[in-house]
Amino acid sequence: MPLPTDEKLLALSNNLIQQFDTIFGEHPSFRPAHAKGTMLTGTFTPSAEAASLTRAPHIVRESTPVTVRFSNSTGLPLVPDTDPNANPRGMAIRFNLAEHSHTDIVSHSVDGFPVRTGDEFLELLRALASSDLAAPTDPKNPKPIEIFLGGHPAALAFVQTPKPAPSSFGRESYFGITAMRFTNADGVVRYGRYRILPEAGNEHLDDAAVAAKGPNYLFDELKERVAAGPVSFRILVQLANEGDVVDDATIHWPEDRRVVELGTIALTAPVADDAHEQQRIIFDPIPRVDGIEPSDDPLLELRAAVYLISGRRRRSESAQ
């Protein structure tokens, strides 16, 4: 996972990390976003139709070991699972292809993203940091975040999208933010976005049920769930049609687009020494594998740089 050489991109990445630190406080041993998490191990098994979409190595093998991290949103390591700001939840999947060889999927529980570019995301974070969210709304003196959302309809739609708390990490759906370029053995290319659906089905809680839960209910429930049996998900790809926009994470494709099933993952055990491994592992939003390549979405290189820079910071803290 190389660090980009574009100085503007690196500066933007560092500014984003600094802005997360401003909002949530400095927690260098943790991720600047989705700080609270846990990891499980398991196996990916490709579907019969997956090879029609991609020739990627984990698709042509009988099975591949995986490492999966579930997380809450925010950069607060102790954010209660019951806090509305803990949504959207995150799910990152690492396909362990060989020693020092892997490809990843990074997803969250909302289909889409509030902005198209990194500069817009930085503007959003700065508006959020400079707004007193506890103060009542004053139409004559709008908060910076209200001004930003008023000028960015996609961000407003993302904020207003319902984000109910799940009963379990294993009963939530997750979505790839950006489109990928899939190529099969015959050289046929299609663009698509990941969808990761729980085999147990979706289940969300109302406000009263959430209020009755403890601050770590999702993490406690996940331990009990995996101890009782595999936690399974289907990995799907929603395909773009000719003419669909494939480089803008704020644009949703219609639901009538074809969906291909890549396969299933079955998670069977917690990761040993979970806290240490969470500091060490750096997920990569860029696939970097033959058969699955990044689209031209401008968020991809930026996210990869942010993950790598913040990951090196975590590792440095761990070493100390």
Side-chain angles (χ1 to χ4, degrees), residues 73-87:
S73 191
T74 85
L76 300 172
L78 298 178
V79 62
D81 299 353
T82 54
D83 189 327
N85 293 313
N87 282 303

Side-chain angles (χ1 to χ4, degrees), residues 170-193:
R171 301 204 64 179
E172 179 64 284
S173 293
Y174 304 88
F175 302 87
I177 294 170
T178 51
M180 300 298 172
R181 185 176 184 267
F182 297 87
T183 306
N184 67 17
D186 296 324
V188 177
V189 174
R190 294 293 301 270
Y191 285 89
R193 287 196 185 110

Side-chain angles (χ1 to χ4, degrees), residues 228-252:
V231 181
S232 299
F233 291 84
R234 299 164 60 213
I235 301 180
L236 312 175
V237 178
Q238 184 195 31
L239 300 180
N241 279 359
E242 188 74 26
D244 284 343
V245 176
V246 297
D247 62 355
D248 186 339
T250 69
I251 293 179
H252 297 252

Side-chain angles (χ1 to χ4, degrees), residues 2-16:
L3 189 67
T5 56
D6 186 315
E7 292 186 3
K8 290 184 178 179
L9 182 64
L10 291 175
L12 178 57
S13 302
N14 281 298
N15 284 337
L16 284 168

Side-chain angles (χ1 to χ4, degrees), residues 3 60 68 105 141 170 185 248 281:
L3 189 67
V60 299
V68 172
I105 297 174
N141 187 26
D248 186 339
I281 193 168

